[in-house]
Amino acid sequence: AVAQGKLAMVFRAPVPPTSALLPAAQMLCGVLGGSSVSRLFKVVREVHGLCYYAGASWVRAKGMMLVQSGVAPKDEPKARRMILALTREVAGGALDPQAFEAVREAARSRIAALRDERGLALGFAQEMVVLGLPPRPETHLARLLAVKPADVRRVGRQLGLDGTFFLTGGKA
């Protein structure tokens, strides 16, 4: 039996959905925890073996970043400290070039997929209209592709830890 818990960390920044900084917030999340080349995956999971998975996502409607990882209870304190340190690093504008390009390529792929999936395209358009954003996916892609490390630093300076939760099934 493997004991495992879920570490969830919520960071907030005053970046409403209509903010010009939204694409930078999304880039921050992608570089931090959006793929197998992200900082969380490479450092916390691959180098230190402290988690089973790690990811970050920006919740547009709430102006928050959600970082989640699967962690053994014994490794939770160390994983938490490492995630905080990596979040500060990326929020400071240290954007690994490989992860930066991975975020851009993933966005290009998602936009291309919308052309073939009517349901996804309608869902995207509906979310954008509800949030007061342009419904054209290409607009969002262009904004993301224009993000610079200085933009990420502007978001990062405003980012603060709002809450941390560690959920586990009981004693390991």
Side-chain angles (χ1 to χ4, degrees):
V2 176
Q4 144 173 281
K6 181 172 188 169
L7 176 60
M9 303 171 80
V10 178
F11 297 83
R12 287 203 187 268
V15 179
T18 55
S19 171
L21 289 176
L22 178 62
Q26 293 170 314
M27 180 62 76
L28 189 159
C29 286
V31 171
L32 179 64
S35 70
S36 61
V37 295
S38 69
R39 297 296 292 148
L40 294 177
F41 189 90
K42 284 171 50 177
V43 176
V44 183
R45 184 179 187 276
E46 296 297 306
V47 173
H48 296 280
L50 293 174
C51 65
Y52 305 98
Y53 68 89
S57 58
W58 189 261
V59 182
R60 284 186 271 244
K62 301 288 186 183
M64 67 180 216
M65 177 173 71
L66 177 60
V67 176
Q68 300 180 77
S69 57
V71 181
K74 69 178 181 59
D75 294 329
E76 186 271 335
K78 187 173 182 180
R80 180 191 306 239
R81 286 190 303 275
M82 194 169 292
I83 290 168
L84 283 169
L86 291 169
T87 299
R88 283 192 294 272
E89 173 189 300
V90 174
L95 305 178
D96 177 281
Q98 188 180 18
F100 188 80
E101 189 51 41
V103 172
R104 298 169 120 201
E105 189 53 41
R108 285 184 193 101
S109 294
R110 281 192 305 276
I111 298 305
L114 289 176
R115 293 183 194 112
D116 297 327
E117 297 287 338
R118 286 188 183 144
L120 288 175
L122 288 172
F124 179 87
Q126 182 181 25
E127 181 183 7
M128 296 305 107
V129 169
V130 167
L131 294 174
L133 298 170
R136 288 185 39 81
E138 295 80 12
T139 302
H140 299 278
L141 178 60
R143 290 176 180 169
L144 183 72
L145 296 178
V147 170
K148 306 284 187 262
D151 302 323
V152 174
R153 282 192 297 275
R154 286 178 56 206
V155 171
R157 282 193 295 269
Q158 301 176 59
L159 196 64
L161 182 62
D162 195 46
T164 302
F165 308 91
F166 185 61
L167 309 170
T168 184
K171 290 188 174 189

